[in-house]
């Protein structure tokens, strides 16, 4: 079974600071990787995803993530955060399978990010 | 509506009561998932439907949990004889088709509090 760990539970930073959130996964096969974001009072939304190809993927709102296969990592980055980036961020993984049983996501524990204005 | 909807948004139950949580997926979405999110944790998979067929229920924590999707659209998650440890946010997600390449769209969740 796969597992996902996110290293930081809480991050506090000021506007314009750079953000990097760590994510490591454990799985013996090929995986698809995701970052989801949950803004206060809103539902989970997909931020970006990696399936194959260029390991540096760009998502919405200036976020990017880099897949490093040798480290089993998929860290999320943003060069300059804004107050509106205050949210909880979840890394998730699913096996790269195209099967009828579906593609259940395994999530990390989440990182709460507070951006001070 | 355009997104996944869930009802009720909040539910308070006394220990031992039965509850039913509803999910309306995006119209036409074949795949439907239920997840449980305990306080301070990430969502954890409960069960998966492809149309009306429940293909994976490996995440259901006990036989008190039951889910159905009889007509392949709306789904209901039922919890019998609720316990305090059942307190969590229950999330529903749907995707257009099976397979990990299809994005899962999440609903707002139902926050269940068992007293």
């Amino acid at each position: 079974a796969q597992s996902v760990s996110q290293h930081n539970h809480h991050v506090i930073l000021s506007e314009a600071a750079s953000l990097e959130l760590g994510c490591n996964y454990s799985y013996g096969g090929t995986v698809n990787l995701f970052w989801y974001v949950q803004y206060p009072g809103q539902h989970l939304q997909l931020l970006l995803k990696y399936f194959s190809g260029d390991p540096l993927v760009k998502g919405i709102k200036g976020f990017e993530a880099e897949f490093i296969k040798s480290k089993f990592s998929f860290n999320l980055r943003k060069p300059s955060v804004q107050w509106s980036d205050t949210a909880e961020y979840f890394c998730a993984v699913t096996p790269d399978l195209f099967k009828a049983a579906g593609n259940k996501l395994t999530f990390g524990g989440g990182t709460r990010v507070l951006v001070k204005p | 509506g355009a997104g996944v909807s869930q009802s009720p948004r909040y539910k308070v139950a006394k220990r031992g009561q039965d509850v039913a949580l509803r999910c309306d997926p995006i119209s036409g979405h074949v795949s439907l998932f239920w997840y449980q999110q305990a306080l301070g944790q990430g969502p954890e998979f409960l069960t998966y439907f492809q149309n009306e067929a429940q293909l994976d229920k490996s995440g259901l924590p006990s036989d008190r949990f039951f889910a159905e999707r009889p007509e392949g659209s709306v789904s209901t998650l039922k919890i019998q004889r609720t316990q305090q440890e059942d307190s969590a946010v229950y999330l529903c997600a749907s995707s257009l088709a099976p397979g990990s390449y299809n994005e899962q769209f999440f609903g707002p969740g139902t926050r269940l509090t068992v007293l």
Side-chain angles (χ1 to χ4, degrees), chain A residues 61-95:
Chain A
K61 302 185 181 184
F63 284 90
E64 64 180 29
E66 184 176 13
F67 171 51
I68 302 179
K69 189 175 181 180
S70 60
K71 295 184 178 180
F72 298 91
S73 70
F74 189 55
N75 293 353
L76 181 71
R77 298 193 293 251
K78 184 170 184 178
S80 177
V81 295
Q82 301 173 319
W83 175 79
S84 58
D85 293 321
T86 293
E88 189 160 17
Y89 294 81
F90 294 93
C91 181
V93 62
T94 187

Side-chain angles (χ1 to χ4, degrees), chain A residues 33-53:
Chain A
L33 297 150
F34 307 82
W35 276 97
Y36 279 83
V37 61
Q38 188 167 25
Y39 298 104
Q42 297 188 25
H43 55 273
L44 276 169
Q45 302 171 41
L46 182 64
L47 200 53
L48 48 77
K49 59 191 176 187
Y50 173 79
F51 292 151
S52 63

Side-chain angles (χ1 to χ4, degrees), chain B residues 15-19 63-64 79-83 86:
Chain B
R15 183 177 171 183
Q17 280 186 329
D18 297 348
V19 298
D63 58 7
R64 296 186 295 105
I79 309 174
Q80 297 177 325
R81 304 180 305 281
T82 52
Q83 303 294 315
D86 300 334

